[in-house]
Amino acid sequence: MNIRVELQNDQSGEVFSKKLLNIGNGKIPVDSSSRYIIFPTNFYRFTETKTKLTVKVFPNITQNYKDHVWLSERVVLVVKKNVDVNEMNFQIQNKIVGELMTYISIDSVPNQDDVDNYPTEFLNWLGLHGLPPHNTQLKIASVIIMLRNINQPRFCNGTRFAVRKSMNYVI
């Protein structure tokens, strides 16, 4: 397992990183009946809702969304479905001031014989791992993550960027 956790000016980053590596390397005990990992009690904090989680991780986002240092110190690691991630992203986007730009993926098939097999609604519904949703909405100053690098070796997958300008087909 390849995990890299870096928290600037925070000594707890090394401790957290070691805990993640222990999970990945199978060094955390597993409950014999449920077969779930038994996390150390100080490893996580629960919140009642996703809304409360976003408020806790991104307090005062309305004032701080342009502060790249402030944003670089915050992240939500999610192992749930893309629907949950998209909902949280939508909540955060709504708090950022500015015009919302919408980017739609291609939803047609090149071979007209396949149109019946791959209807537009199905292509729009697909939520594939490693790809953005069909309907991606962004604002200036939104944080985005590079999923695939087409300009190697300048940037690497997982690099975070802030949107500075958005046009019809280019971010």
Side-chain angles (χ1 to χ4, degrees):
M1 178 176 240
N2 184 8
I3 296 177
R4 181 174 168 243
V5 175
E6 184 177 321
L7 301 174
Q8 295 177 343
N9 303 321
D10 188 346
Q11 300 302 321
S12 66
E14 186 176 341
V15 173
F16 182 72
S17 180
K18 286 180 181 176
K19 288 180 183 179
L20 285 177
L21 286 172
N22 285 340
I23 291 169
N25 292 330
K27 295 181 181 176
I28 300 293
V30 176
D31 182 279
S32 58
S33 61
S34 68
R35 304 203 51 168
Y36 290 148
I37 295 172
I38 302 171
F39 285 103
T41 54
N42 62 348
F43 186 77
Y44 56 87
R45 284 182 241 142
F46 280 106
T47 57
E48 292 84 29
T49 65
K50 289 176 269 195
T51 301
K52 288 184 179 181
L53 176 62
T54 57
V55 169
K56 178 120 178 125
V57 175
F58 298 99
N60 302 318
I61 185 80
T62 310
Q63 290 80 29
N64 294 315
Y65 71 93
K66 289 187 178 180
D67 183 349
H68 297 266
V69 173
W70 183 84
L71 284 172
S72 71
E73 297 170 348
R74 285 153 176 74
V75 67
V76 176
L77 300 175
V78 180
V79 294
K80 291 210 167 215
K81 298 177 181 175
N82 286 342
V83 172
D84 297 316
V85 174
N86 293 339
E87 181 184 331
M88 292 174 72
N89 284 336
F90 182 75
Q91 288 175 359
I92 294 167
Q93 286 285 339
N94 279 339
K95 294 179 181 180
I96 295 176
V97 177
E99 179 186 353
L100 195 63
M101 288 289 291
T102 301
Y103 297 92
I104 308 285
S105 68
I106 294 173
D107 59 359
S108 60
V109 292
N111 184 351
Q112 290 303 311
D113 295 336
D114 289 333
V115 169
D116 291 335
N117 296 329
Y118 303 102
T120 302
E121 297 79 19
F122 172 72
L123 295 173
N124 294 348
W125 170 81
L126 285 176
L128 302 174
H129 179 72
L131 293 175
H134 164 68
N135 183 350
T136 299
Q137 297 181 326
L138 298 171
K139 292 183 181 181
I140 300 296
S142 297
V143 175
I144 58 176
I145 296 176
M146 178 177 286
L147 298 175
R148 297 239 161 72
N149 186 0
I150 57 174
N151 187 17
Q152 295 178 1
R154 194 163 172 209
F155 302 111
C156 62
N157 299 351
T159 302
R160 297 190 324 173
F161 298 95
V163 175
R164 295 181 112 186
K165 186 174 182 178
S166 57
M167 298 179 286
N168 288 338
Y169 301 104
V170 179
I171 301 170

